[in-house]
Amino acid sequence: MERGKMAEAESLETAAEHERILREIESTDTACIGPTLRSVYDGEEHGRFMEKLETRIRNHDREIEKMCNFHYQGFVDSITELLKVRGEAQKLKNQVTDTNRKLQHEGKELVIAMEELKQCRLQQRNISATVDKLMLCLPVLEMYSKLRDQMKTKRHYPALKTLEHLEHTYLPQVSHYRFCKVMVDNIPKLREEIKDVSMSDLKDFLESIRKHSDKIGETAMKQGNDPYVAEDLVCPREEAQQQRNLDNIILQQPRIGSKRKPKKDAYTIFDTEIGSTSPKSEQDSGILDVEDEEDDEEVPGAQDLVDFSPVYRCLHIYSVLGARETFENYYRKQRRKQARLVLQPPSNMHETLDGYRKYFNQIVGFFVVEDHILHTTQGLVNRAYIDELWEMALSKTIAALRTHSSYCSDPNLVLDLKNLIVLFADTLQVYGFPVNQLFDMLLEIRDQYSETLLKKWSGIFRNILDSDNYSPIPVTSEEIYKKVVGQFPFQDTELEKQPFPKKFPFSEFVPKVYNQIKEFIYACLKFSEDLHLSSTEVDDMIRKSTNLLLTRTLSSSLQNVIKRKNIGLTELVQIIINTTHLEKSCKYLEEFITNITNVLPETVHTTKLYGTTTFKDARHAAEEEIYTNLNQKIDQFLQLADYDWMTGDLGNKASDYLVDLIAFLRNTFAVFTHLPGKVAQTACMSACKHLATSLMQLLLEAEVRQLTLGALQQFNLDVRECERPIAFCTE
């Protein structure tokens, strides 16, 4: 039973395996069924598989037969159509045969025409060969004709280029012709002629460039102030510097921005001229006429003002002719001579700013030209040559500026000169020239500028002090009060509470002097701009100059006013009050300087203002003058005393001079109430002490006089004869 089941299972498994193999044979490519058939022969059921295969074949045959029976009629129709096509094909074959026969007949004429064409082609080749020979000669003749035309129109550089092409390109191709030998013999003469004429053009260029250096420099300094224009004016370099705000100079030389054309080098100029057929123009003189271009939006650059083509032409001509070194030596020698002329300042240069401006423009123009030559030619000038010229120019320029600037007494002119020097230095720095020595020299001019400022402010302070009425400033409205407080840092709550009209304790010269000190600080700050100084250095410079203003200029002006012969006690009292308020304002001046320099007073090495000491000294001098004047007034009153020494009726009425003296002292002491308590007390005590001393002396004199006169009357002597002994005794 179990064996039967196992046999049945094996039979089923074998049947499934045969079915799989059959499906694989049906679905697999014939070339790949080898492994499948091998698996059948390797098994033990080969016979059963063959039976299944036969059964499967019969099934497929039956299906094929059904399919053929189904499509049989279509097959018959196809055969019928094919028979019809065979008849038409026979007709087509006959037509092709007839066409071929006709074509062969007609082709005989074509063969004859081809022979004729062959003969024409042979003739054409002969003609072409002749034309080619003529074409070789015609360019030579055309180039020689062009050369003669260029020589006649004085376009010598294109003529040289034409001569080179003619000699090296065209003549070698036709050298066996006799007319070419004539041309070859004439070439050296043409070269010498071109060489001489180009040198003449160069001399004209050098003379013209010397005359117009100031115009070139003016344009470069105008446009060099714009960083974008400056980068276009020169060849690319790393020395481009940030530009500066130039206050007065910019007002006189307004900045003009323009889009710049790219700089052309010598070879670009050459190519342009070769393609040009126009005769020599005015540009060959070296300077372009730009007067008609002033209204254009685009301002010409430095190299737009100069036509460098004469230099380029002459350089290339001499290079081609093998005399480049001769040309370079001549050019450098002539430019050195011109540099010495440019660096020679006019004798009256210090009188006006225009004299300095023209001097700087000429120098800038000279070096702009040399810089352009340096970057557009290959070796005509080199960096060592430029540096040598610049060192000479720098030393001579600094020496000239030191000499002529020493004559300047106007601080505005010195400031404008400084701004002009900064613009001059910045322009040349953009072109790559070192200008540190110029900025060092500006620090020297800064000291001179400070001295001229001190002289100017000495006059300003003198005018302020002379025009002051030495009376407290009256204010009648809130607007006037705020105006004064805005000019001078003053705070007094009690004064603010008082109704209008009211008075400030100080006179008008206090806010005026305070504002002038600030104006002086601003003037010092203006000079320090663009000098490449740190904030600490600027702060130190301003503080030192301000200290000189306070301790020397303002102090001297105050002392002169105080020592005046006709100054009164009221004016002296007002000066003490004024200097007290100015002394208090020194801290605000410290803050003002700190705000504009951003350097804190606590910073190490920061210079302190000496204003407090200045105003204290002035106040002490005024106090001493008050004591002296008050004592003199008391003496003057006492000298007016006139007594009848022999009268017997004295009465209770005081003398007139004494009444006037007491009234004077009362008014004076009332004025002293505005002084600080200690000062007023000292002044009153000094006056009372001097008065007591004078009165004691007067009483002693009166007693001596009375005794002497009594004795004289007793002896009946003339009183006038004894006046001198009496005076001697009283003394």
Side-chain angles (χ1 to χ4, degrees):
M1 184 92 177
E2 293 180 358
R3 287 182 180 176
K5 291 181 180 180
M6 291 177 63
E8 185 178 357
E10 291 178 359
S11 177
L12 291 174
E13 183 178 353
T14 302
E17 178 66 17
H18 290 170
E19 187 65 27
R20 182 187 66 77
I21 293 172
L22 289 174
R23 286 198 302 272
E24 187 173 351
I25 291 172
E26 291 174 348
S27 60
T28 305
D29 189 7
T30 306
C32 300
I33 63 174
T36 304
L37 296 177
R38 180 179 294 277
S39 64
V40 174
Y41 285 100
D42 289 342
E44 297 178 355
E45 300 295 334
H46 177 262
R48 296 183 62 183
F49 175 77
M50 293 302 295
E51 292 176 359
K52 276 188 167 292
L53 181 61
E54 290 293 337
T55 302
R56 181 64 62 90
I57 292 172
R58 285 194 297 271
N59 290 335
H60 283 299
D61 288 341
R62 285 194 295 270
E63 291 177 1
I64 292 171
E65 185 177 356
K66 289 179 182 180
M67 184 67 67
C68 290
N69 290 336
F70 180 75
H71 293 286
Y72 175 73
Q73 187 60 40
F75 175 73
V76 172
D77 294 338
S78 298
I79 295 299
T80 303
E81 290 294 329
L82 185 60
L83 292 174
K84 293 180 180 180
V85 169
R86 185 177 62 180
E88 295 296 329
Q90 186 63 38
K91 293 179 181 180
L92 180 60
K93 179 181 178 181
N94 295 333
Q95 291 177 357
V96 170
T97 303
D98 294 339
T99 301
N100 182 53
R101 187 173 56 256
K102 293 178 181 180
L103 182 61
Q104 291 295 331
H105 178 71
E106 297 294 335
K108 293 179 181 180
E109 296 180 0
L110 180 61
V111 171
I112 296 172
M114 290 297 295
E115 289 295 332
E116 293 176 355
L117 179 61
K118 182 179 179 182
Q119 293 297 325
C120 290
R121 291 287 176 84
L122 181 59
Q123 294 175 1
Q124 185 179 8
R125 281 197 297 271
N126 294 335
I127 293 173
S128 297
T130 304
V131 171
D132 291 340
K133 296 295 183 181
L134 292 175
M135 291 300 293
L136 286 176
C137 295
L138 285 177
V140 175
L141 298 175
E142 290 175 356
M143 290 296 288
Y144 192 79
S145 176
K146 181 180 179 181
L147 174 62
R148 301 305 302 179
D149 292 339
Q150 290 171 340
M151 294 294 293
K152 289 180 181 179
T153 55
K154 298 183 179 181
R155 298 175 60 243
H156 298 97
Y157 170 70
L160 182 63
K161 297 295 290 185
T162 303
L163 189 63
E164 291 178 3
H165 287 297
L166 182 64
E167 182 180 14
H168 300 292
T169 304
Y170 295 99
L171 286 177
Q173 299 176 4
V174 290
S175 58
H176 52 282
Y177 296 108
R178 285 184 296 176
F179 73 89
C180 293
K181 295 180 180 179
V182 176
M183 294 181 183
V184 171
D185 294 338
N186 201 25
I187 285 177
K189 299 178 182 178
L190 294 175
R191 279 206 179 98
E192 287 299 322
E193 181 181 351
I194 292 173
K195 182 179 178 181
D196 295 339
V197 174
S198 64
M199 179 56 70
S200 176
D201 291 342
L202 177 67
K203 292 178 180 179
D204 294 340
F205 168 82
L206 292 175
E207 179 63 23
S208 182
I209 209 72
R210 184 187 65 81
K211 293 179 180 179
H212 296 84
S213 290
D214 56 340
K215 181 65 176 178
I216 300 167
E218 179 183 0
T219 303
M221 290 178 73
K222 283 181 180 179
Q223 298 191 348
N225 190 44
D226 189 331
Y228 299 103
V229 176
E231 291 175 4
D232 291 335
L233 277 173
V234 297
C235 293
R237 58 174 67 91
E238 298 179 357
E239 288 83 1
Q241 298 288 327
Q242 72 273 19
Q243 301 305 305
R244 324 209 183 259
N245 180 16
L246 296 171
D247 297 338
N248 295 336
I249 297 300
I250 299 305
L251 293 177
Q252 298 178 19
Q253 286 185 274
R255 176 183 299 182
I256 303 175
S258 65
K259 295 182 179 179
R260 300 285 303 123
K261 300 177 183 178
K263 176 181 281 190
K264 296 182 179 180
D265 59 12
Y267 302 100
T268 306
I269 298 293
F270 296 158
D271 295 339
T272 303
E273 289 197 2
I274 291 173
S276 174
T277 57
S278 61
K280 179 179 178 181
S281 65
E282 294 179 356
Q283 297 179 2
D284 290 333
S285 65
I287 303 296
L288 302 182
D289 185 7
V290 296
E291 296 298 329
D292 297 336
E293 300 178 4
E294 292 182 353
D295 297 333
D296 296 342
E297 294 182 359
E298 184 175 312
V299 177
Q303 55 267 49
D304 289 335
L305 297 177
V306 183
D307 176 22
F308 290 93
S309 57
V311 180
Y312 300 148
R313 283 195 300 267
C314 197
L315 171 63
H316 191 68
I317 288 170
Y318 272 73
S319 299
V320 172
L321 299 178
R324 180 187 177 99
E325 184 176 355
T326 302
F327 173 76
E328 290 178 359
N329 293 335
Y330 176 81
Y331 177 85
R332 295 182 185 185
K333 180 180 179 181
Q334 294 301 316
R335 289 298 280 169
R336 281 193 181 93
K337 291 181 180 179
Q338 292 184 357
R340 293 187 180 93
L341 293 176
V342 166
L343 295 171
Q344 186 69 29
S347 58
N348 61 342
M349 184 174 70
H350 60 277
E351 296 178 357
T352 62
L353 189 65
D354 290 335
Y356 289 103
R357 184 181 291 112
K358 184 175 181 180
Y359 179 63
F360 289 144
N361 287 343
Q362 289 179 343
I363 297 174
V364 172
F366 178 88
F367 283 99
V368 165
V369 170
E370 290 306 291
D371 180 80
H372 188 80
I373 293 294
L374 174 66
H375 290 90
T376 56
T377 60
Q378 297 178 353
L380 177 56
V381 296
N382 52 31
R383 177 53 63 182
Y385 162 79
I386 295 292
D387 291 342
E388 178 189 350
L389 284 181
W390 176 241
E391 286 298 327
M392 177 184 69
L394 198 58
S395 61
K396 289 183 177 294
T397 302
I398 291 175
L401 290 176
R402 281 175 177 159
T403 301
H404 287 269
S405 63
S406 62
Y407 299 128
C408 295
S409 58
D410 181 8
N412 293 328
L413 179 59
V414 177
L415 181 61
D416 291 343
L417 174 60
K418 167 257 171 182
N419 291 332
L420 192 60
I421 293 174
V422 170
L423 178 58
F424 169 72
D426 286 345
T427 302
L428 289 171
Q429 190 174 30
V430 168
Y431 283 87
F433 296 100
V435 293
N436 292 334
Q437 295 184 42
L438 287 173
F439 284 101
D440 293 339
M441 186 206 59
L442 283 174
L443 298 181
E444 300 176 13
I445 296 180
R446 179 187 64 185
D447 298 334
Q448 177 189 347
Y449 176 71
S450 297
E451 290 298 324
T452 57
L453 283 182
L454 291 174
K455 291 180 182 178
K456 177 181 178 181
W457 256 260
S458 177
I460 292 173
F461 288 147
R462 183 171 57 253
N463 294 334
I464 291 175
L465 296 176
D466 290 344
S467 62
D468 193 56
N469 57 9
Y470 295 95
S471 300
I473 301 175
V475 288
T476 58
S477 64
E478 183 71 21
E479 182 180 355
I480 298 177
Y481 183 86
K482 290 181 178 179
K483 181 180 179 181
V484 176
V485 174
Q487 293 175 349
F488 182 75
F490 176 77
Q491 295 178 351
D492 189 341
T493 55
E494 294 182 0
L495 182 62
E496 291 178 358
K497 294 177 182 179
Q498 294 179 11
F500 292 101
K502 50 188 175 182
K503 295 181 179 180
F504 284 98
F506 47 81
S507 65
E508 291 183 355
F509 96 64
V510 171
K512 289 181 179 179
V513 167
Y514 181 80
N515 286 325
Q516 285 302 321
I517 294 174
K518 292 173 64 176
E519 289 297 326
F520 179 86
I521 294 172
Y522 275 128
C524 293
L525 181 64
K526 280 185 178 180
F527 194 91
S528 65
E529 292 175 350
D530 309 317
L531 295 186
H532 302 234
L533 300 176
S534 65
S535 299
T536 305
E537 291 173 322
V538 173
D539 181 84
D540 183 69
M541 183 203 74
I542 292 177
R543 289 177 183 271
K544 287 181 178 179
S545 299
T546 307
N547 280 334
L548 287 176
L549 177 74
L550 295 174
T551 59
R552 194 171 78 184
T553 305
L554 181 56
S555 176
S556 176
S557 299
L558 289 173
Q559 294 292 339
N560 291 336
V561 173
I562 292 170
K563 299 298 181 181
R564 236 183 245 164
K565 291 183 179 181
N566 59 346
I567 191 167
L569 292 174
T570 304
E571 286 85 350
L572 290 171
V573 170
Q574 190 62 55
I575 289 174
I576 293 175
I577 296 171
N578 290 349
T579 53
T580 301
H581 288 283
L582 286 173
E583 179 183 350
K584 294 178 181 179
S585 69
C586 287
K587 63 178 182 179
Y588 297 103
L589 290 175
E590 290 270 8
E591 294 177 359
F592 176 72
I593 295 176
T594 300
N595 290 334
I596 64 177
T597 61
N598 296 321
V599 177
L600 298 177
E602 297 80 10
T603 306
V604 181
H605 305 306
T606 299
T607 306
K608 304 300 180 183
L609 289 183
Y610 302 145
T612 304
T613 305
T614 299
F615 297 125
K616 281 183 179 179
D617 294 342
R619 187 165 62 252
H620 292 159
E623 292 171 3
E624 292 295 331
E625 198 67 21
I626 286 176
Y627 304 152
T628 303
N629 288 357
L630 187 57
N631 293 340
Q632 290 177 355
K633 279 289 185 182
I634 293 173
D635 292 340
Q636 290 174 5
F637 276 105
L638 293 178
Q639 289 173 3
L640 297 176
D642 187 16
Y643 294 98
D644 184 6
W645 301 106
M646 303 306 294
T647 183
D649 185 14
L650 297 176
N652 296 324
K653 184 179 180 181
S655 301
D656 292 338
Y657 83 91
L658 195 57
V659 173
D660 294 340
L661 175 60
I662 293 173
F664 167 75
L665 291 176
R666 183 181 291 111
N667 293 333
T668 301
F669 292 162
V671 174
F672 286 173
T673 57
H674 299 292
L675 292 174
K678 185 177 180 181
V679 177
Q681 181 181 2
T682 304
C684 292
M685 291 179 64
S686 175
C688 293
K689 182 178 179 181
H690 183 76
L691 178 60
T693 304
S694 299
L695 287 174
M696 290 296 294
Q697 183 178 358
L698 182 62
L699 290 174
L700 177 61
E701 179 183 352
E703 185 176 355
V704 172
R705 182 181 291 273
Q706 187 174 7
L707 291 174
T708 304
L709 289 176
L712 291 174
Q713 290 177 357
Q714 184 177 358
F715 293 102
N716 295 321
L717 295 175
D718 188 357
V719 176
R720 288 176 294 180
E721 294 178 359
C722 300
E723 285 293 334
R724 186 172 297 171
I726 292 173
F728 176 75
C729 292
T730 51
E731 290 177 1

